[in-house]
Structures are given as structure tokens and as C-alpha cells.
Amino acid sequence: MSTNSTEKKWDRRSADTAERLEAASRYIGPGKQFKPEDTVALLEAVIRAGDRVNIEGNNQKQADFLAECLNKVDKSRIHDLHMVQSAVPLPVHLDLFENGIAKKLDFAFGGPQAGRVAKFISEGKLELGAIHTYLELFGRYFLDLTPKVSLICAYKADRQGNLYTGFNTEDTPTIVEATKFRQGIVIAQVNEIVDKLPRVDIPADWIDGVVQSPKPFFIEPLFTRDPALVTESQILLAMLCLKGIYAEYEVKRINHGIGFLTSAIELLLPTYGEELGLKGKACTHMILNPHPTMIPAIESGWVDTIHCFGGELGMEKYVAARPDVFFTGPDGTLRSNRAYAQTAGHYALDMFIGGTLQIDKFGNSSTATASRVAGFGGAPNMGCDAKGRRHATDSWLKVGKEMPTLDRQIGNMPRGKRLVVQGVETFGEGRAPVFVEQLDAWKLAENANLDLPPVMIYGDDLTHIVTEEGIAYLNRCADIEARMAAIRAVAGYTEIGLKANPDETRQLREAGIVKTPEDLGVDRSRANRSLLAARNIRDLVSWSGGLYNPPARFRNW
Amino acid sequence: MPKWNDLQEQSFLESDARARAVGLVDEGTYTELAGPFDRFYSPHLEVLGEAVEFDDGIVTAVGKIGKTPVFVISQEGRFIGGSVGEVGGAKMVNTIRLAIEFHDKLVAEYPDISDEEKPVVVISFETGGVRLHESNAGLLAHAEVMDQLQKARHKVPVITLIGSKVGCFGGMGFVAAATDAIVMSEFGRLGLTGPEVIEQEMGKEEFDSSDRALVFRTTGGRHKYIMGDCNVLVHNTIAAFREAVAKLAVLPVSEFEKMRRIGSPEAVERQLRAVALAAEMQPQDARDVWAKAGNPDPVALTDIPLDEFIADVKRLSV
């Protein structure tokens, strides 16, 4: 027995890693630093064909230099890589598949490369593992998709190799923890190497190599919505949401999507929201990137807490100056963390509200189109009812109480339900109908050989639909027939909407399942831009007392 | 018709041409000239099968501010970018002509008439210049407007207002520069060649039109105020523009000569000195010129509150 156990090796992973690092050691100097010109050679030393590799890149922080270098490795040696990463937003991420270096992809969000992902799948260049949510993929990093090598990104390193990820910490701690503690290899690119970091976000002994990239990593202001582009129709929808949902349920813990509807809601909090007496009763705790359109509500004292997935360009000083609201480090700058924000988003939110491209007649919704494998990032985790939730809040309980058929599933046991709200104009981008017989996701599933049509929010999780016609309170519907009728009633002049039966709609209104703006007492004529607390980016700068520094593309003064 | 009171605090930037025109004159004094019901629209667009507007995108009207008769021209950027064609151009020309004729008649009948009782012309620009669909007719219209500006000279002050989305570019940039006084908000933009055209002709290194901060600090109200191209810088409300017009309208016409950019040997010499300075300085950015004007922290000038800016900023003198 004892001889058997001594023969069996239990440290093959760490031995393998040690062997690879030994091969790379000639490039790595003090403080784990290596030179940009040695990067390709270093990657060739630490990566082997068939490895699972993570390139950090999500919304606001991209290991773009390391991704470019990975494209330059000798593909006769390094090929068939299995990429496991949150997002593939950069062309270089897909070039890996075109160049024959990578073969398989497990991810959560496609972004601008979504079209190429679909094309590569159908051409056989890319083998798709699955489209995940962020939390789901993070979970698999610690189970069956642990990366062997991770190429990560930070703002700064010090001379010992400690990293500062700062404002845009995002996915870094999750990736590093999964990789390093399973004896993997972590390589970091940084914008600069300094003597002293503002704070240490990743300790040096979790890192194997650090390079100062020739230019700072690519970053885009993805979450900034210019109030000047908010339409009166969006303002009407926002008024309906505030009166018919925020006030009705007094929802305190919220995630806002990144569309113009939710930015309209944010800009109406200090005006219409205050008029409805909602301050202190709704929107007190939020899971959000630092949206600039939240500034007026924060300044007006609406918000107790905001935890962020990532950062947003231009909001650095403002956030640092509001530490009572945001999570900041001992150095005073924001600490974001996608894994924790998504955990809060999945378990602790009372409401998720956002938009979508399509809703089918049953209430399933998706932003996928026939030729784009987009993925949904974190929306499905927040846009669903977390079945593992055990703590109660008033709004969560109220939605549960309103469900007429809960007893058919769990008898007389009380239970709550998260509000999952989709706010859409019945005709969306390019005048395309939002309400459709069948989602384009079905066609995508066929085109890209997916096992499932990619659905962002399933109909049974959806509790409310808000359109310019009014609100459908789907949680109050007894069965799928009633849900479909309620959806038809608010679907306007789309083909789905034209099938609504006026008698049926009247009954739904009498039952409080459908409410028009008039039923809710929302005056349509007040839906104009003068109701916005800020009407342009300049106003947001003024609200912030000059702390918000908008990126150049948003400046019109 | 929008309510006058509601218009006053409305954003000038977001207001359409008619709202601006109505809100600029005193309540109840607005009379539209050649309005939509008269259906003066572009025959050229019709031939091309394009949509027309019954006012051709230019609102012309007469009203009063205090004792001053005000002839208003207001351009609509949402109709083909505020472009000026034959009909809209003719409306501009004839509005200025009416103001001049009215002035002459008043002075003939009432030789003792005060400055504040004499008419002024106000043009709210929102345009990229000539409407390309009707190029020659549109160009001719520009020339005719310039001709009327010369005829109005020393008689009827012509006041430019710029604070709408499209700004004031192309041939109409020349027209605005030839008026007597220019009032802008910080959201207004004034120039000749538009940012996209500069980029297209000279390359992104010369001028990156997607860099809005750069575009605004090169053509926007704050910069134009420092450069002296803009005489009065105001807040972004119709009331603020109206107040600026009211203050100017009572001045004797001789005062307007001092505000002009062109039209006298002194003005030409000043412009030449500015060109010489530019050649000597070779500025890489508007901020270089702001610093030259005596502003110690040019970067901060962009974001400080407007009142603070107006109080503290040093304007370029050449």
C-alpha cells in the first residue's frame, strides 16, 4: 500500500508549471519583469498546444498587447488552444481562431465580434463550448474550465510585481485566483511600472511575469449615455416605470441596464421621482457601473450604496469624492469587482430593469440576431428569479403574493419573486417590431449549430413589460394564455399587438393586469425633456461640481 | 404655437426654429412672415422627389422687444441640416429688406425717433451653408443675403445668434461673420469648413472630427469669445439670448461698428495682425492661443462654470 502511494505522482500540474517557467526564466528579470520585445518568446515558453488559456478582457480593461503577441507565436508549436474568457470584444481575440492558434471558445459576451463568432462557427474555424453568463463561467473556472495560463491586465505594477487594477478591477481577482491556485501561470501587462502602488490589488506572488505594454490598454466609455439623446418617448416609459413599478413596489435594490430608458429613469429620479415621494423609498441600493446619468440622483441624496462591476471613463474623480456611496480602497479610488457585483446582482437585487431587441409572444426575450453570437454577459443572472434566495424584502414578497398560481407549485408556502422588467418601445431600432412571433435566436441556433436558442430572459422570469401603451403585470397572470393576452395588450401596432382583443384587454385592465398611462395617472403631455434633471453632458458636469470629466467624444462645449 | 412663458427657460440648444423665433420677441408680438400656410417651399426638392417643408426650413417673423421692432430669421437644423436654398434664402433676403425699408420710412416720418425705436434684424443660425440639392440658387441666395447686410449697414443692426445643434458653418459662416454682432452660447459652433470636411480633406492628424472636445475648443462659443469672433457669450436658454438681444437693440447703430469683424480698414488691420500672430505662434491647439491671451490655466477654462468663465477669462487682443 505504502509503496503504491509513493509511486503515484500528485504534483504533475505544479511540476509542469515549474518546467515551463524554467524555460521562460531567461526572459524574466527582477520584479518578474520582462521586456515587451521578449513577449512572444515568453508566451511560446509558457503555453503548450491544447492549453486552456484566458485573455482578460471585458468591458473596460483589455489585455490587448498580450492578445496581439499570442497571435504571433509559432503555430506549428502552439495550436488548438481552448480559450476560456469573459468576452471577445477585440478583433485579435478572433484572429487567434483565424490564425489556427486557438480552436475552442467558452465565453459570456461577444460584443463587436459577435458576427465573426457566428461566421467562424459555421466555417468550422471555431468550436463553441457554450455561451455562459459571467457568474456561470466564473464558476466553471473553479470546476471544469480552469485556465492553465491567464494573460491579465492591470494599470500599474511595482518593482516587486504587485499589481494595481484600481478603478477597473473587474474580472482580474477571479481569473488570477482560479489560475494561480490550480498551479497555473499568470502573465500581466501593465500601463506603467512604478516604485509605489496606490494599493495592492493582486499580490506579486500570484503573478509569474509582468510587462509594461508599449501603449496603455484600450478603453472605451461604454456606459455613458448622453442625456441630450433621451427622447420624449423614453421619458414617457420612464414615468410609467417610476409610477407603475418603482412606486407600486417601492423597490430599493436595483440594477439598471445600460440603455437610454434606464438613463431616462436615472435622470427623472430627482424630478418626477421626488414628486412621487419616492426618495428614500426606492433606488437606495444599486449594482451598477458608475453611470454618469446617476450623478443628479446621487447628488440629490437618493442613493445609499453603489457597487460596481467595473469603472467608467471620466468618473474616476467623482467616485473617489463620494466614498459614502461607492466602494473604494484605502487609497481612495474605486474598487470594482465583477464577480461580487454579479453575486449581489443574482441574489440580493429586488429588481432588474433593462431593454431588449425582441420579445416573443410568450414573453421570452433576446438581443441575439440571426447572424451574431452575442451572449448576454451578466443580464441573465440579474434578469431571473434566484431560486436560492432565502432573505425577504417587501418588494420581493409583494411580487410573490401577487402570483396567483404559486400554490400549484409549493402549496401554501409563501415565497417572493424578483421583479424582472423589460422596458421597450413597441418598435425599436430601425423601426423593427420588438414584439415578434418567434425570436431571431431560433434562426441563430440553426445557423451556428447551437444546442439552444440564446435567450436573455425566459418568459417565466419576466414579471413586467413596459411599453408606450402601458404596463403588463405578468406576475399577476394565472397561466401562459393570460400572459400572452397581457403581452398582446401592450404590444401596440406590431403584428402581435394587432391580435389583441379589445374586450380581453378591457378585462385585463379591470383586473389590474394591464395598466395604460391613463390608468396609472401618468400625464403623457408632461413627458418632455424639461423633466430631465440633466439635459446634456454639460449639466452632468455641473451637477458633479466639476468632478466628472467626460471623454472627448461627449463634449459639446 | 408653444406657450411663450414655457419657452423662456427652455434650452436654446434643443429648441426648434419656430420656438426660438417666438421666444425671442415679447409675448404676443410675434407675426410670422411667409409662414407654413403660405406654402413657399423648394421647387428643386420637389423635382428631385425629396420631402419639402412648407417654410423651407427657415422661419421669418416680426415682433417687438420693448420698443424695438425686431425682424427675426430662424433656421431649422432638423430640415436637411439647416441648409439654405433658393426659397429660404429669399425669405432671409426679403426679411432684411423689409427691415431696411421700415427703418427708412420711420426715419422719414419721425426724424426724432430714438435708437431703441429703430428696427433690428436677428438671425438665429443653424446651418451648414448651401443646400447642395440646389447649389447655384443656394449660392446666389448667400450672395444676396450678404448684399442686404451691406445695405443694412449704418441703418439696421443685424445680430447673429448661434447656439443650436448644427452650429453655423459653410457659406453661412461667412454671412454670420459679416453681421454686426454675434451672440453665442457655449454649445454654439461657428466656422467655415465643418470639422468632418477638414478631416476628409486634410486627414485625421490635422483635425480629428470625432474628437468633440477638440471640435468645440476650436469652433465653440467659449473659444470664439476668447478670439473676439463672438461678442456676447450667454447661457443656454431662450431667455438669455433674448436678454442679450434686448441689451444690444437699444444701442445706437454706431456702437455696432465697434463690434464688427470686417468692413473697415481698422478691422482689416486687426485681422491681419491676428494672421501674423498665428504664423509666428504656430499654435498646435486652441489652448495655446488661450494661454497667449493671458490665461494661466487654459485646460481649466473648458469646464469652469460659465459665469466664472465670463468673469475671469482673458480675451485675445491683437
PDB file of all heavy atoms in Angstrom, chain A residues 8 38 63 69 129 155 209 214 235 249 274 299 336 355 407 453 476 509 534:
ATOM      1  N   LYS A   8       2.677   6.942  -7.051  1.00  0.00           N
ATOM      2  CA  LYS A   8       1.710   7.810  -7.714  1.00  0.00           C
ATOM      3  C   LYS A   8       2.099   9.271  -7.531  1.00  0.00           C
ATOM      4  O   LYS A   8       2.414   9.703  -6.422  1.00  0.00           O
ATOM      5  CB  LYS A   8       0.319   7.553  -7.123  1.00  0.00           C
ATOM      6  CG  LYS A   8      -0.779   8.206  -7.912  1.00  0.00           C
ATOM      7  CD  LYS A   8      -2.105   7.507  -7.653  1.00  0.00           C
ATOM      8  CE  LYS A   8      -3.289   8.270  -8.210  1.00  0.00           C
ATOM      9  NZ  LYS A   8      -3.280   8.444  -9.633  1.00  0.00           N
ATOM     10  N   ASP A  38      10.389  40.617 -25.777  1.00  0.00           N
ATOM     11  CA  ASP A  38      10.531  39.189 -25.460  1.00  0.00           C
ATOM     12  C   ASP A  38       9.179  38.495 -25.260  1.00  0.00           C
ATOM     13  O   ASP A  38       9.133  37.300 -24.941  1.00  0.00           O
ATOM     14  CB  ASP A  38      11.356  39.003 -24.181  1.00  0.00           C
ATOM     15  CG  ASP A  38      12.823  39.363 -24.395  1.00  0.00           C
ATOM     16  OD1 ASP A  38      13.259  39.324 -25.570  1.00  0.00           O
ATOM     17  OD2 ASP A  38      13.498  39.685 -23.408  1.00  0.00           O
ATOM     18  N   ALA A  63      -6.433  43.018 -21.986  1.00  0.00           N
ATOM     19  CA  ALA A  63      -5.020  42.639 -22.116  1.00  0.00           C
ATOM     20  C   ALA A  63      -4.703  42.579 -23.610  1.00  0.00           C
ATOM     21  O   ALA A  63      -4.401  41.522 -24.168  1.00  0.00           O
ATOM     22  CB  ALA A  63      -4.764  41.308 -21.434  1.00  0.00           C
ATOM     23  N   CYS A  69       0.346  39.625 -29.015  1.00  0.00           N
ATOM     24  CA  CYS A  69       1.552  38.792 -29.010  1.00  0.00           C
ATOM     25  C   CYS A  69       1.199  37.311 -29.156  1.00  0.00           C
ATOM     26  O   CYS A  69       1.935  36.558 -29.798  1.00  0.00           O
ATOM     27  CB  CYS A  69       2.357  39.030 -27.737  1.00  0.00           C
ATOM     28  SG  CYS A  69       3.106  40.663 -27.713  1.00  0.00           S
ATOM     29  N   GLY A 129     -17.795  25.974 -27.108  1.00  0.00           N
ATOM     30  CA  GLY A 129     -18.139  25.170 -25.938  1.00  0.00           C
ATOM     31  C   GLY A 129     -19.549  25.547 -25.519  1.00  0.00           C
ATOM     32  O   GLY A 129     -20.504  24.823 -25.791  1.00  0.00           O
ATOM     33  N   TYR A 155      -3.434  48.356 -14.285  1.00  0.00           N
ATOM     34  CA  TYR A 155      -2.953  49.710 -14.573  1.00  0.00           C
ATOM     35  C   TYR A 155      -1.460  49.845 -14.268  1.00  0.00           C
ATOM     36  O   TYR A 155      -0.709  50.385 -15.045  1.00  0.00           O
ATOM     37  CB  TYR A 155      -3.729  50.741 -13.741  1.00  0.00           C
ATOM     38  CG  TYR A 155      -5.047  51.107 -14.351  1.00  0.00           C
ATOM     39  CD1 TYR A 155      -6.188  50.363 -14.086  1.00  0.00           C
ATOM     40  CD2 TYR A 155      -5.158  52.200 -15.217  1.00  0.00           C
ATOM     41  CE1 TYR A 155      -7.403  50.693 -14.657  1.00  0.00           C
ATOM     42  CE2 TYR A 155      -6.362  52.542 -15.790  1.00  0.00           C
ATOM     43  CZ  TYR A 155      -7.487  51.782 -15.508  1.00  0.00           C
ATOM     44  OH  TYR A 155      -8.688  52.107 -16.080  1.00  0.00           O
ATOM     45  N   GLY A 209       4.823  36.850 -14.420  1.00  0.00           N
ATOM     46  CA  GLY A 209       5.561  37.735 -15.307  1.00  0.00           C
ATOM     47  C   GLY A 209       4.798  39.038 -15.513  1.00  0.00           C
ATOM     48  O   GLY A 209       3.566  39.042 -15.538  1.00  0.00           O
ATOM     49  N   PRO A 214       3.664  48.535 -24.701  1.00  0.00           N
ATOM     50  CA  PRO A 214       4.167  49.720 -25.420  1.00  0.00           C
ATOM     51  C   PRO A 214       3.193  50.889 -25.366  1.00  0.00           C
ATOM     52  O   PRO A 214       3.590  52.040 -25.336  1.00  0.00           O
ATOM     53  CB  PRO A 214       4.340  49.216 -26.855  1.00  0.00           C
ATOM     54  CG  PRO A 214       4.458  47.732 -26.732  1.00  0.00           C
ATOM     55  CD  PRO A 214       3.651  47.336 -25.542  1.00  0.00           C
ATOM     56  N   ILE A 235     -38.865  59.136 -22.100  1.00  0.00           N
ATOM     57  CA  ILE A 235     -39.258  59.808 -20.860  1.00  0.00           C
ATOM     58  C   ILE A 235     -40.634  59.308 -20.411  1.00  0.00           C
ATOM     59  O   ILE A 235     -40.852  59.060 -19.226  1.00  0.00           O
ATOM     60  CB  ILE A 235     -39.235  61.344 -21.042  1.00  0.00           C
ATOM     61  CG1 ILE A 235     -37.782  61.800 -21.247  1.00  0.00           C
ATOM     62  CG2 ILE A 235     -39.868  62.056 -19.857  1.00  0.00           C
ATOM     63  CD1 ILE A 235     -37.624  63.219 -21.726  1.00  0.00           C
ATOM     64  N   TYR A 249     -44.158  49.100  -6.059  1.00  0.00           N
ATOM     65  CA  TYR A 249     -43.493  48.049  -5.264  1.00  0.00           C
ATOM     66  C   TYR A 249     -42.448  48.600  -4.285  1.00  0.00           C
ATOM     67  O   TYR A 249     -41.880  47.852  -3.510  1.00  0.00           O
ATOM     68  CB  TYR A 249     -42.816  47.024  -6.202  1.00  0.00           C
ATOM     69  CG  TYR A 249     -43.800  46.261  -7.061  1.00  0.00           C
ATOM     70  CD1 TYR A 249     -44.143  46.717  -8.325  1.00  0.00           C
ATOM     71  CD2 TYR A 249     -44.391  45.082  -6.611  1.00  0.00           C
ATOM     72  CE1 TYR A 249     -45.046  46.032  -9.122  1.00  0.00           C
ATOM     73  CE2 TYR A 249     -45.295  44.376  -7.394  1.00  0.00           C
ATOM     74  CZ  TYR A 249     -45.612  44.868  -8.662  1.00  0.00           C
ATOM     75  OH  TYR A 249     -46.505  44.180  -9.445  1.00  0.00           O
ATOM     76  N   GLU A 274     -39.024  62.451  -7.224  1.00  0.00           N
ATOM     77  CA  GLU A 274     -39.185  63.230  -5.992  1.00  0.00           C
ATOM     78  C   GLU A 274     -40.646  63.645  -5.815  1.00  0.00           C
ATOM     79  O   GLU A 274     -41.197  63.589  -4.719  1.00  0.00           O
ATOM     80  CB  GLU A 274     -38.287  64.468  -6.059  1.00  0.00           C
ATOM     81  CG  GLU A 274     -37.778  64.881  -4.709  1.00  0.00           C
ATOM     82  CD  GLU A 274     -36.254  64.975  -4.649  1.00  0.00           C
ATOM     83  OE1 GLU A 274     -35.554  64.114  -5.223  1.00  0.00           O
ATOM     84  OE2 GLU A 274     -35.778  65.915  -4.021  1.00  0.00           O
ATOM     85  N   GLU A 299     -26.347  63.127  -6.134  1.00  0.00           N
ATOM     86  CA  GLU A 299     -26.190  64.454  -5.528  1.00  0.00           C
ATOM     87  C   GLU A 299     -27.436  64.882  -4.757  1.00  0.00           C
ATOM     88  O   GLU A 299     -27.352  65.649  -3.817  1.00  0.00           O
ATOM     89  CB  GLU A 299     -25.854  65.498  -6.603  1.00  0.00           C
ATOM     90  CG  GLU A 299     -24.481  65.302  -7.246  1.00  0.00           C
ATOM     91  CD  GLU A 299     -23.346  65.286  -6.225  1.00  0.00           C
ATOM     92  OE1 GLU A 299     -23.171  66.290  -5.528  1.00  0.00           O
ATOM     93  OE2 GLU A 299     -22.657  64.248  -6.104  1.00  0.00           O
ATOM     94  N   SER A 336     -13.803  48.033  -8.074  1.00  0.00           N
ATOM     95  CA  SER A 336     -14.902  47.296  -8.696  1.00  0.00           C
ATOM     96  C   SER A 336     -14.558  45.820  -8.629  1.00  0.00           C
ATOM     97  O   SER A 336     -13.413  45.451  -8.369  1.00  0.00           O
ATOM     98  CB  SER A 336     -15.066  47.746 -10.154  1.00  0.00           C
ATOM     99  OG  SER A 336     -13.887  47.512 -10.893  1.00  0.00           O
ATOM    100  N   GLY A 355     -33.625  46.818 -21.300  1.00  0.00           N
ATOM    101  CA  GLY A 355     -34.308  46.714 -22.580  1.00  0.00           C
ATOM    102  C   GLY A 355     -33.890  45.461 -23.313  1.00  0.00           C
ATOM    103  O   GLY A 355     -33.104  44.658 -22.812  1.00  0.00           O
ATOM    104  N   ASP A 407     -49.331  28.556  -5.403  1.00  0.00           N
ATOM    105  CA  ASP A 407     -49.779  27.404  -4.593  1.00  0.00           C
ATOM    106  C   ASP A 407     -49.795  26.104  -5.404  1.00  0.00           C
ATOM    107  O   ASP A 407     -49.726  25.021  -4.836  1.00  0.00           O
ATOM    108  CB  ASP A 407     -51.155  27.674  -3.987  1.00  0.00           C
ATOM    109  CG  ASP A 407     -52.194  28.004  -5.037  1.00  0.00           C
ATOM    110  OD1 ASP A 407     -51.799  28.309  -6.190  1.00  0.00           O
ATOM    111  OD2 ASP A 407     -53.390  27.959  -4.721  1.00  0.00           O
ATOM    112  N   PRO A 453     -31.566  28.045 -28.545  1.00  0.00           N
ATOM    113  CA  PRO A 453     -31.635  29.441 -28.972  1.00  0.00           C
ATOM    114  C   PRO A 453     -31.146  30.315 -27.806  1.00  0.00           C
ATOM    115  O   PRO A 453     -31.567  30.089 -26.669  1.00  0.00           O
ATOM    116  CB  PRO A 453     -33.121  29.682 -29.228  1.00  0.00           C
ATOM    117  CG  PRO A 453     -33.725  28.321 -29.332  1.00  0.00           C
ATOM    118  CD  PRO A 453     -32.889  27.419 -28.485  1.00  0.00           C
ATOM    119  N   ARG A 476     -49.007  38.811 -12.365  1.00  0.00           N
ATOM    120  CA  ARG A 476     -50.377  38.675 -11.893  1.00  0.00           C
ATOM    121  C   ARG A 476     -51.205  37.737 -12.787  1.00  0.00           C
ATOM    122  O   ARG A 476     -52.412  37.602 -12.606  1.00  0.00           O
ATOM    123  CB  ARG A 476     -51.051  40.052 -11.823  1.00  0.00           C
ATOM    124  CG  ARG A 476     -50.353  40.984 -10.833  1.00  0.00           C
ATOM    125  CD  ARG A 476     -50.941  42.393 -10.839  1.00  0.00           C
ATOM    126  NE  ARG A 476     -50.142  43.270  -9.965  1.00  0.00           N
ATOM    127  CZ  ARG A 476     -50.295  44.585  -9.886  1.00  0.00           C
ATOM    128  NH1 ARG A 476     -51.221  45.192 -10.605  1.00  0.00           N
ATOM    129  NH2 ARG A 476     -49.532  45.298  -9.076  1.00  0.00           N
ATOM    130  N   ARG A 509     -57.425  45.140 -17.965  1.00  0.00           N
ATOM    131  CA  ARG A 509     -57.288  46.436 -17.297  1.00  0.00           C
ATOM    132  C   ARG A 509     -58.105  46.471 -16.011  1.00  0.00           C
ATOM    133  O   ARG A 509     -57.659  46.989 -14.990  1.00  0.00           O
ATOM    134  CB  ARG A 509     -57.721  47.571 -18.231  1.00  0.00           C
ATOM    135  CG  ARG A 509     -56.668  47.882 -19.291  1.00  0.00           C
ATOM    136  CD  ARG A 509     -57.151  48.885 -20.295  1.00  0.00           C
ATOM    137  NE  ARG A 509     -57.391  50.209 -19.708  1.00  0.00           N
ATOM    138  CZ  ARG A 509     -57.914  51.228 -20.372  1.00  0.00           C
ATOM    139  NH1 ARG A 509     -58.240  51.085 -21.656  1.00  0.00           N
ATOM    140  NH2 ARG A 509     -58.094  52.382 -19.789  1.00  0.00           N
ATOM    141  N   ALA A 534     -30.909  66.477 -15.871  1.00  0.00           N
ATOM    142  CA  ALA A 534     -29.803  66.994 -16.686  1.00  0.00           C
ATOM    143  C   ALA A 534     -30.168  66.740 -18.128  1.00  0.00           C
ATOM    144  O   ALA A 534     -30.625  65.648 -18.468  1.00  0.00           O
ATOM    145  CB  ALA A 534     -28.500  66.295 -16.328  1.00  0.00           C
TER     146      ALA A 534
END
